[in-house]
């Protein structure tokens, strides 16, 4: 088994593995994102519930303090019973009372009067109390209420009212959320302390799994609710989503593997077909004559590879050449072409300096054995004194530029010519024409077809011809099919013509006959048709490589 075949098998195994794993990775990613969104939505709904509860308590508190306004300024002994009655009537409240100038002068809870508010809540008050002020605190002095919500209303006249709400109602809600869902809920009122559940320990979370949290602020009151889902809850949601989609994922993995196996089988099958085609001599070489406009006769030929299967089916060159390039078979195929050309030319009777064009792929040009292959071919056909021309595509020049230029220069020093084929159809920069050692520029037939009359302008074609002249490159025009095109190209200094107007590609036997009768015959633009019709058999389009 060749190293290339082993590498192909290894790539095939990797492809099958990736095909099986890809759906799993895709579903893992999808369920991870989806589970975060699910947890985020749960956090949002839970936080809204807690905020609604806190806003309800706050609304009740300010409503109660409004009812205390008529009692402001009265003696504490006269209103204490009223305060205790009102405190008992309103839910959540542990104490209410009246204030004057930052001091409590009467309350339903504290036995002593004239208590400083800051001493009761055990934190300093703002320099100027706002008309309505609320905050959350951890504990109250001399009162078994922890945590507590403080509400203080202080009109401009100095008289005011306060209320103490037992926040245990909120803590109970937090504990229930923590127990049922594992969420950690916190509430802060104003600039006060954080109200949190009794179980406050949060297990450490991985960085990649943390950060699932939600914050919401009341639009009516200074209340902020924060809620966090620990990694364990995120993991549970992820696991549930993944297991739900696991059957579908396994089906997709199986389908992907089957598709990869089918593709690999077809690929290996085509590789085997190419190898069998080489072994069974299903390939042949067709030769298309090249017409020299100055000599007005045949001055060379281009070797074109053709494939006719044993069942008589012709495979188009663009199909099998592309497949050979994709499946690492182009180099063996090109070497087979060189061998067949050697066998064909052994029976030729031609004059010296006959141009023989050979298409070379970018892969072969980059191969370490490329120079040795061309040298061996040149040595095997040296008796005919050919002018061997290597025809390269623009992609060949772009790939591994400096190394390619060095190899081509080395071969040119040994008498090998270089042509750039189908110029203008690729993405080669014009600077490559100066950077690489070139002898010929072959104009693609698409530009030749723009010639419709002697008077009509063809700016792109004219630019290519002018550029080639400036670079001292000889020009070969491909796809010439009409006398008008031949007239135009001849008048513009194109030295070589290749196309159906002059001669169509033909196999070696027919080419030998053609050579005998037509090779030395002059052919002018006034000739109306090609010197030969198609040889017997089905013709296929011209190959762009081997």
């Amino acid at each position: 088994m060749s190293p290339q075949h082993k590498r192909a098998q290894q790539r095939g195994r990797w492809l099958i593995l990736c095909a099986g794993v890809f759906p799993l990775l895709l579903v893992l990613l999808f369920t991870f994102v989806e589970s975060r969104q699910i947890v985020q939505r749960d956090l949002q709904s839970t936080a809204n519930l807690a905020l609604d509860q806190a806003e309800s308590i706050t609304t009740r508190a300010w409503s109660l303090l409004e009812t205390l306004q008529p009692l402001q300024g009265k003696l504490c002994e006269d209103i204490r019973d009223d305060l205790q009655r009102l405190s008992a009537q309103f839910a959540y409240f542990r104490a209410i009372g009246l204030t004057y100038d930052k001091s409590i002068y009467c309350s339903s809870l504290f036995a002593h009067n004239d208590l400083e508010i800051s001493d009761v809540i055990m934190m300093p008050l703002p320099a100027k109390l706002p008309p309505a002020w609320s905050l959350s605190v951890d504990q109250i002095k001399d009162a078994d209420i922890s945590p507590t919500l403080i509400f203080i209303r202080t009109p401009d006249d100095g008289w005011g009212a306060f209320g103490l709400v037992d926040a245990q109602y909120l803590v109970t809600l937090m504990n229930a959320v923590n127990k049922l869902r594992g969420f950690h809920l916190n509430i802060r009122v104003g600039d006060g302390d954080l109200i949190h559940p009794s179980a406050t320990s949060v297990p450490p979370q991985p960085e990649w799994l943390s950060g699932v949290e939600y914050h919401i602020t009341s639009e009516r009151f200074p209340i902020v609710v924060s809620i966090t889902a620990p990694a364990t809850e995120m993991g549970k949601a992820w696991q549930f989503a993944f297991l739900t989609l696991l059957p579908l994922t396994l089906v997709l993995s199986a389908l992907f593997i089957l598709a990869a196996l089918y593709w690999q089988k077809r690929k290996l099958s085509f590789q085997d077909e190419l190898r069998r085609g080489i072994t069974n001599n299903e390939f042949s070489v067709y030769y298309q004559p090249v017409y020299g406009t100055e000599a007005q006769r045949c001055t060379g030929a281009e070797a074109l590879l053709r494939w006719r299967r044993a069942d008589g089916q012709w495979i188009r060159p663009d199909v099998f050449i592309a497949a050979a390039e994709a499946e690492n078979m182009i180099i063996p195929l090109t070497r087979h072409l060189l061998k067949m050309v050697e066998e064909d030319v052994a029976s030729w009777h031609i004059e010296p300096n006959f141009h023989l064009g050979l298409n070379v792929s970018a892969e072969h040009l980059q191969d370490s054995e490329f120079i040795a292959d061309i040298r061996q071919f040149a040595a095997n056909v040296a008796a005919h004194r050919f002018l061997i021309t290597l025809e390269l595509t623009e992609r060949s020049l772009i790939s591994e530029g400096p190394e390619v230029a060095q190899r081509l220069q080395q071969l040119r020093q040994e008498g090998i010519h270089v042509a750039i084929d189908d110029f203008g159809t690729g993405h080669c920069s014009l600077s490559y024409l100066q950077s690489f050692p070139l002898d010929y520029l072959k104009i693609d037939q698409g530009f030749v077809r723009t010639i419709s009359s002697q008077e009509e302008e063809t700016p792109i074609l004219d630019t290519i011809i002018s550029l080639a002249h400036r670079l001292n490159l000889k020009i070969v025009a491909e796809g010439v099919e009409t006398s008008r095109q031949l007239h135009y190209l001849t008048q513009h200094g194109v030295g070589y013509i290749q196309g159906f107007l002059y001669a169509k590609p033909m196999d070696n036997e027919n080419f030998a006959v053609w050579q005998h009768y037509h090779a030395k015959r002059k052919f002018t633009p006034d000739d109306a048709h090609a010197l030969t019709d198609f040889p017997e058999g089905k013709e296929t389009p011209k190959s762009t490589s081997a």
Side-chain angles (χ1 to χ4, degrees):
M1 182 181 297
S2 65
Q4 289 182 347
H5 190 56
K6 290 181 179 179
R7 288 194 296 270
Q9 284 188 334
Q10 186 176 10
R11 285 195 296 269
R13 287 192 290 267
W14 275 108
L15 175 65
I16 294 172
L17 177 62
C18 292
V21 173
F22 176 72
L24 292 172
L25 295 178
L26 189 63
V27 171
L28 280 173
L29 177 61
F30 172 77
T31 52
F32 174 74
V33 174
E34 180 64 18
S35 60
R36 288 182 68 91
Q37 292 178 349
I38 292 174
V39 172
Q40 191 77 19
R41 289 193 293 267
D42 289 346
L43 292 177
Q44 183 176 353
S45 60
T46 304
N48 286 329
L49 177 63
L51 182 62
D52 289 342
Q53 183 71 6
E55 287 181 339
S56 175
I57 293 175
T58 303
T59 301
R60 288 172 176 265
W62 293 125
S63 176
L64 174 59
L65 296 186
E66 287 289 339
T67 63
L68 296 181
Q69 287 186 357
L71 303 180
Q72 294 175 356
K74 295 183 179 181
L75 294 175
C76 185
E77 291 80 1
D78 298 336
I79 61 175
R80 187 182 297 277
D81 292 339
D82 294 330
L83 293 177
Q84 292 177 349
R85 176 178 53 81
L86 290 173
S87 176
Q89 289 179 353
F90 282 81
Y92 311 123
F93 283 88
R94 294 295 300 273
I96 58 175
L98 301 176
T99 63
Y100 182 76
D101 194 21
K102 300 183 179 181
S103 298
I104 298 174
Y105 79 89
C106 191
S107 73
S108 63
L109 176 66
F110 302 106
H112 303 286
N113 299 329
D114 298 328
L115 295 173
E116 292 292 330
I117 298 176
S118 58
D119 292 338
V120 174
I121 65 177
M122 302 178 66
M123 65 171 56
L125 298 178
K128 179 176 177 57
L129 280 174
W133 188 58
S134 60
L135 76 161
S136 50
V137 296
D138 276 339
Q139 57 183 346
I140 297 295
K141 181 179 180 181
D142 299 331
D144 186 19
I145 310 175
S146 176
T148 305
L149 300 180
I150 308 296
F151 299 92
I152 301 176
R153 184 177 294 279
T154 55
D156 293 335
D157 57 4
W159 296 99
F162 78 92
L164 303 181
V165 174
D166 189 350
Q168 186 61 41
Y169 299 102
L170 295 177
V171 173
T172 301
L173 173 63
M174 297 177 187
N175 287 332
V177 170
N178 193 355
K179 182 178 180 181
L180 294 175
R181 301 301 307 274
F183 297 161
H184 294 271
L185 184 66
N186 301 305
I187 299 177
R188 187 189 300 273
V189 178
D191 297 327
D193 298 324
L194 198 66
I195 301 175
H196 46 72
S198 56
T200 59
S201 60
V202 180
Q205 305 179 44
E207 292 184 1
W208 62 275
L209 204 55
S210 61
V212 186
E213 56 185 22
Y214 181 74
H215 305 275
I216 185 171
T217 302
S218 172
E219 297 179 357
R220 300 164 53 198
F221 307 110
I223 302 173
V224 178
V225 177
S226 302
I227 187 169
T228 303
T232 54
E233 292 301 313
M234 177 63 193
K236 291 177 182 178
W238 189 6
Q239 181 183 18
F240 176 79
F242 179 74
L243 292 178
T244 302
L245 293 178
L246 183 58
L248 177 61
T249 304
L250 295 177
V251 172
L252 287 176
S253 294
L255 292 176
F256 274 53
I257 290 175
L258 290 175
L261 286 172
Y262 176 75
W263 182 86
Q264 185 69 12
K265 182 179 179 180
R266 287 197 60 184
K267 180 177 179 181
L268 293 176
S269 176
F270 208 92
Q271 286 180 343
D272 293 337
E273 288 184 17
L274 287 169
R275 292 190 182 95
R276 284 196 298 268
I278 294 174
T279 303
N280 298 335
N281 295 318
E282 296 177 2
F283 290 94
S284 60
V285 183
Y286 274 52
Y287 300 90
Q288 184 170 23
V290 176
Y291 168 72
T293 58
E294 183 176 348
Q296 294 187 342
R297 60 184 176 85
C298 178
T299 58
E302 180 182 3
L304 304 172
L305 191 62
R306 297 291 185 262
W307 185 11
R308 187 177 187 179
R309 285 177 171 171
D311 59 3
Q313 179 187 5
W314 288 87
I315 307 299
R316 294 195 349 247
D318 59 330
V319 173
F320 71 78
I321 292 299
E325 289 178 339
E327 299 170 16
N328 300 317
M329 282 295 295
I330 191 64
I331 295 178
L333 199 58
T334 304
R335 288 171 178 162
H336 185 57
L337 167 68
L338 297 178
K339 181 180 178 181
M340 289 189 295
V341 172
E342 292 174 10
E343 296 174 353
D344 287 344
V345 302
S347 60
W348 288 10
H349 301 284
I350 56 174
E351 296 179 356
N353 298 324
F354 185 85
H355 292 80
L356 181 60
L358 302 169
N359 290 279
V360 177
S361 68
E363 289 77 5
H364 195 190
L365 190 57
Q366 298 167 25
D367 187 74
S368 59
E369 301 296 324
F370 170 71
I371 293 181
D373 291 340
I374 301 302
R375 283 175 176 171
Q376 184 63 47
F377 173 79
N380 293 340
V381 299
H384 294 280
R385 297 166 64 183
F386 285 117
L387 290 180
I388 300 173
T389 302
L390 304 180
E391 300 186 8
L392 315 174
T393 62
E394 295 180 46
R395 183 169 67 90
S396 303
L397 302 185
I398 296 174
S399 302
E400 305 293 338
E403 184 177 352
V404 168
Q406 182 179 1
R407 290 181 177 181
L408 295 178
Q409 184 60 41
Q410 186 175 351
L411 290 175
R412 288 182 78 239
Q413 293 173 355
E414 299 175 12
I416 306 295
H417 292 186
V418 179
I420 179 171
D421 196 11
D422 298 330
F423 180 76
T425 60
H427 305 282
C428 178
S429 171
L430 294 179
S431 63
Y432 280 79
L433 298 181
Q434 291 182 313
S435 304
F436 286 86
L438 302 174
D439 300 285
Y440 295 89
L441 187 151
K442 300 191 70 174
I443 302 176
D444 181 70
Q445 59 184 353
F447 299 107
V448 174
R449 288 173 182 166
T450 61
I451 303 172
S452 58
S453 69
Q454 289 294 108
E455 294 77 17
E456 188 172 348
E457 295 183 355
T458 55
I460 298 179
L461 176 61
D462 294 343
T463 300
I464 294 175
I465 294 174
S466 176
L467 177 64
H469 287 323
R470 288 178 177 272
L471 296 175
N472 294 320
L473 298 177
K474 299 175 183 178
I475 307 174
V476 182
E478 300 180 292
V480 179
E481 299 178 351
T482 67
S483 298
R484 182 177 296 165
Q485 293 171 348
L486 181 57
H487 266 294
Y488 187 93
L489 296 168
T490 302
Q491 291 177 358
H492 285 75
V494 175
Y496 301 93
I497 300 297
Q498 184 177 348
F500 287 2
L501 177 67
Y502 180 55
K504 300 177 181 180
M506 57 197 88
D507 60 21
N508 183 55
E509 182 180 352
N510 284 288
F511 181 70
V513 175
W514 185 92
Q515 278 275 34
H516 178 73
Y517 288 102
H518 302 292
K520 296 181 180 180
R521 174 183 170 183
K522 290 188 177 182
F523 180 75
T524 66
D526 296 326
D527 290 322
H529 55 273
L531 295 181
T532 77
D533 291 329
F534 241 102
E536 292 184 4
K538 295 181 181 179
E539 178 57 23
T540 52
K542 172 186 176 294
S543 164
T544 57
S545 50

